[in-house]
Amino acid sequence: MRAMVNLAPELKQRRSRFRVVPVSVVVFIVLALTSWGTILLGDSGLLELFQPQTWRDAGEFAGRLLGLGVSGTPAFLDPASWSNALRLSIDTLAMSVLATAIAGLLALVTFLPGARNVAFGELRSGHPAVSIALFGALRVNFAFTRSVPELVWAMLIVFVVTPGILAGALALAVHNYGILAKLMAEVVENIDPRPARALRAAGANGPQMLLYGILPQVLPQFLTYLLYRWEVIIRTTVVVGLVAAGGLGLEFRLNMSFRHFDDVGLLLFVYLILVIGVDLASAGLRRLAR
Amino acid sequence: MHRTAAVRFTEGRGLLTLILAAAVLWSLFSVEWDRDLFQHGGLSFIAQVFAALFSLDLSSEFLRIVLGAAWTTVTYAVAGIILALAIGLPLGAIASGTMARSPVARFVSVAGVRLLLAFMRAIHELIWAWLFVVAIGLSPMAAVLALAIPYGGILGRIFAELLNDVPEQPLRALRSSGASEIQVFLYGRLPIAFADMLSYAFYRFECAIRSAAVFSFVGIAGLGFQIQLSLDELLYDQLWTLLIVLALLVIAVDLWSSLVRRSLTS
């Protein structure tokens, strides 16, 4: 029976393999043509792209970002702007770390019952009806939290939590929790079942089997995913900060609306350094995890 | 070699655990816990929002608005990803350094283009959208370009890696039969890496839908714009309908892309 269950998806895959891809490519091409058609037939702004005035404005804007043609000291040469940007980027960094930690903690607590083989496969333990209900609820939860973008979560969370680092971190955490928990559940679905099987044969109960048979196998992968998500989170921290008022985001928004474009340019520069720095730090830490 | 447990702990995973714990502690201290952390009326907001879940706005006129907004979001995502492919494919091919003959040309093309790709993807698409709205005005093209640049950067980097990781043997066979590097690329590398490239592009398409939905923040139409309107007017029954439609859209594209990826990589 189990062999049949395991074989069925593979057989189905082999049969559909030659159809899924060409059909999908054709559907995507049709979608692409209608999308571009809809955009170009409407007021697309494409014609404006070819007018010299647009390019003059865009060039002037780019110059302003670099501090050309602004009255007073441009932000790039102003120590006060630099120290402000530095302080805000430390806040931004803290927000990203806190967000990663909360997302990781939530995922760590909930990913196991969301794996198929733990819910109703070989690694199941406990009452089947309970674990299947838990599996369904968790999967819906993973899917919903990750399909709503961070920015929308931020818009909702600021109604409850005062705008600041915590509000922003929570918004980032909720979305990334869904992604992490789903990835982790998939890792559990692909693990080697033999250690858990051996433990069960030796008389281990459900929790013991999970603790010693599954977790040691999946934790290194979990850390790697967490560090990868941190790289994505630091990029998004600025965006969440636009509404959740923490770190560089709020300052970016204020300077945009006051048209202090030289300050915007400095913030973008600091943001770039921050993103690249986190990418390097994450790569270094991932090497430690190996 | 004899090592004490303490020494071993400061290496590898032990050191990693220490660093991560210290970072989390530090981030906790940067939150101002003494301030009023929660909004007055936050709990009643949660109660109202959850109560509205049972009175979803499913009237046909609202659904028409929602579906229209969803379609707008999809068109921006699709148009953006097409342009991102048009940017990412050539840049990725150059950044892979596989077509350059001399070491100098290879270094210039690899280092220069990789730096450009890193710059494109480091800035979040919403920030690009804002910059484009200011620079060229509020229009669908701003949304498409804002998606295409960071996504082009990501696609270019991944394509470069995939093209580099192609096994050498079939390429050597082509070379020994007198193919130029460009021919080796076109008839060797590209066809071999194609399945993985297509699979990654489909995954990015799924991300593009989510990204396009938040462009509303800078005034671009779509699902996010409607979400913002419903929040501004405190119409939580409409908010839920919009969130559920967004989730269903993302899940549908997710299922589609994982179906394609599974058939491509199995």
Side-chain angles (χ1 to χ4, degrees), chain B residues 118-135:
Chain B
F119 170 72
M120 285 159 63
R121 66 173 187 272
I123 293 177
H124 192 275
E125 53 270 15
L126 187 66
I127 304 292
W128 278 119
W130 208 340
L131 296 177
F132 274 116
V133 165
V134 175

Side-chain angles (χ1 to χ4, degrees), chain A residues 19-158:
Chain A
R19 262 179 263 144
V20 169
V21 177
V23 168
S24 299
V25 169
V26 169
V27 169
F28 191 80
I29 290 172
V30 172
L31 205 55
L33 291 177
T34 42
S35 295
W36 272 108
T38 321
I39 289 175
L40 294 181
L41 286 179
D43 184 14
S44 68
L46 185 68
L47 288 178
E48 279 85 342
L49 275 187
F50 295 104
Q51 282 165 4
Q53 185 60 41
T54 311
W55 287 98
R56 265 200 299 278
D57 291 350
E60 197 196 342
F61 173 61
R64 289 268 176 101
L65 287 179
L66 298 172
L68 303 174
V70 287
S71 53
T73 324
F76 272 105
L77 300 175
D78 182 13
S81 303
W82 274 99
S83 73
N84 188 34
L86 199 68
R87 189 179 52 80
L88 291 170
S89 40
I90 290 174
D91 277 358
T92 304
L93 191 65
M95 191 155 120
S96 75
V97 171
L98 192 59
T100 315
I102 299 173
L105 200 67
L106 287 176
L108 199 59
V109 181
T110 53
F111 75 93
L112 266 180
R116 269 182 195 84
N117 50 355
V118 174
F120 36 76
E122 193 179 4
L123 304 175
R124 70 180 177 279
S125 60
H127 199 279
V130 175
S131 54
I132 288 173
L134 196 60
F135 169 82
L138 281 174
R139 278 296 169 128
V140 170
N141 176 31
F142 299 166
F144 186 71
T145 48
R146 79 165 187 279
S147 10
V148 177
E150 304 91 332
L151 188 71
V152 176
W153 282 121
M155 289 174 183
L156 291 169
I157 282 172
V158 290

Side-chain angles (χ1 to χ4, degrees), chain A residues 18 75 146 210 236 259:
Chain A
F18 297 100
R146 79 165 187 279
L210 300 180
T236 324
R259 306 180 71 80

Side-chain angles (χ1 to χ4, degrees), chain A residues 92-248:
Chain A
T92 304
L93 191 65
M95 191 155 120
S96 75
V97 171
L98 192 59
T100 315
I102 299 173
L105 200 67
L106 287 176
L108 199 59
V109 181
T110 53
F111 75 93
L112 266 180
R116 269 182 195 84
N117 50 355
V118 174
F120 36 76
E122 193 179 4
L123 304 175
R124 70 180 177 279
S125 60
H127 199 279
V130 175
S131 54
I132 288 173
L134 196 60
F135 169 82
L138 281 174
R139 278 296 169 128
V140 170
N141 176 31
F142 299 166
F144 186 71
T145 48
R146 79 165 187 279
S147 10
V148 177
E150 304 91 332
L151 188 71
V152 176
W153 282 121
M155 289 174 183
L156 291 169
I157 282 172
V158 290
F159 277 92
V160 182
V161 183
T162 318
I165 290 178
L166 185 66
L170 283 174
L172 287 162
V174 174
H175 172 74
N176 282 284
Y177 154 72
I179 296 177
L180 267 174
K182 182 207 173 204
L183 284 174
M184 285 314 297
E186 281 170 2
V187 170
V188 174
E189 283 167 10
N190 294 323
I191 61 165
D192 178 2
R194 282 173 300 185
R197 217 183 278 160
L199 279 168
R200 168 165 282 179
N205 60 21
Q208 283 172 333
M209 189 179 69
L210 300 180
L211 194 60
Y212 299 108
I214 301 178
L215 280 185
Q217 279 191 66
V218 300
L219 276 185
Q221 189 65 46
F222 180 73
L223 267 181
T224 313
Y225 279 149
L226 201 61
L227 289 168
Y228 272 126
R229 285 320 295 177
W230 184 37
E231 293 176 27
V232 181
I233 286 174
I234 187 78
R235 277 186 185 80
T236 324
T237 324
V238 174
V239 168
V240 167
L242 297 175
V243 283
L248 290 166

Side-chain angles (χ1 to χ4, degrees), chain B residues 28-212:
Chain B
L28 282 173
F29 278 113
S30 65
V31 177
E32 295 173 51
W33 295 102
D34 50 332
R35 231 172 30 135
D36 283 339
L37 266 185
F38 296 97
Q39 303 273 32
H40 296 291
L43 281 180
S44 76
F45 168 76
I46 295 178
Q48 281 170 22
V49 167
F50 276 98
L53 181 54
F54 300 100
S55 60
L56 291 181
D57 189 344
L58 296 174
S59 61
S60 63
E61 50 185 328
F62 183 62
L63 279 183
R64 213 170 299 137
I65 295 175
V66 175
L67 292 182
W71 172 243
T72 308
T73 297
V74 171
T75 55
Y76 292 167
V78 174
I81 205 89
I82 294 284
L83 198 57
L85 281 169
I87 296 172
L89 266 176
L91 288 186
I94 299 171
S96 71
T98 50
M99 282 184 294
R101 211 40 87 60
S102 70
V104 179
R106 175 169 303 178
F107 178 79
V108 171
S109 65
V110 172
V113 176
R114 291 222 167 179
L115 205 64
L116 175 68
L117 291 172
F119 170 72
M120 285 159 63
R121 66 173 187 272
I123 293 177
H124 192 275
E125 53 270 15
L126 187 66
I127 304 292
W128 278 119
W130 208 340
L131 296 177
F132 274 116
V133 165
V134 175
I136 66 168
L138 189 60
S139 67
M141 273 323 281
V144 173
L145 287 173
L147 258 183
I149 288 185
Y151 277 63
I154 298 167
L155 288 174
R157 177 200 158 187
I158 301 287
F159 287 172
E161 277 167 17
L162 292 174
L163 288 168
N164 254 329
D165 289 346
V166 164
E168 269 295 314
Q169 248 152 356
L171 306 181
R172 235 175 276 152
L174 275 173
R175 274 194 208 106
S176 66
S177 61
S180 70
E181 275 309 307
I182 304 242
Q183 283 169 328
V184 169
F185 181 87
L186 284 180
Y187 300 108
R189 279 183 199 279
L190 198 58
I192 296 172
F194 188 71
D196 285 334
M197 289 164 72
L198 193 61
S199 138
Y200 190 76
F202 258 96
Y203 164 67
R204 273 290 146 193
F205 170 51
E206 175 199 330
C207 303
I209 299 263
R210 252 190 318 248
S211 297

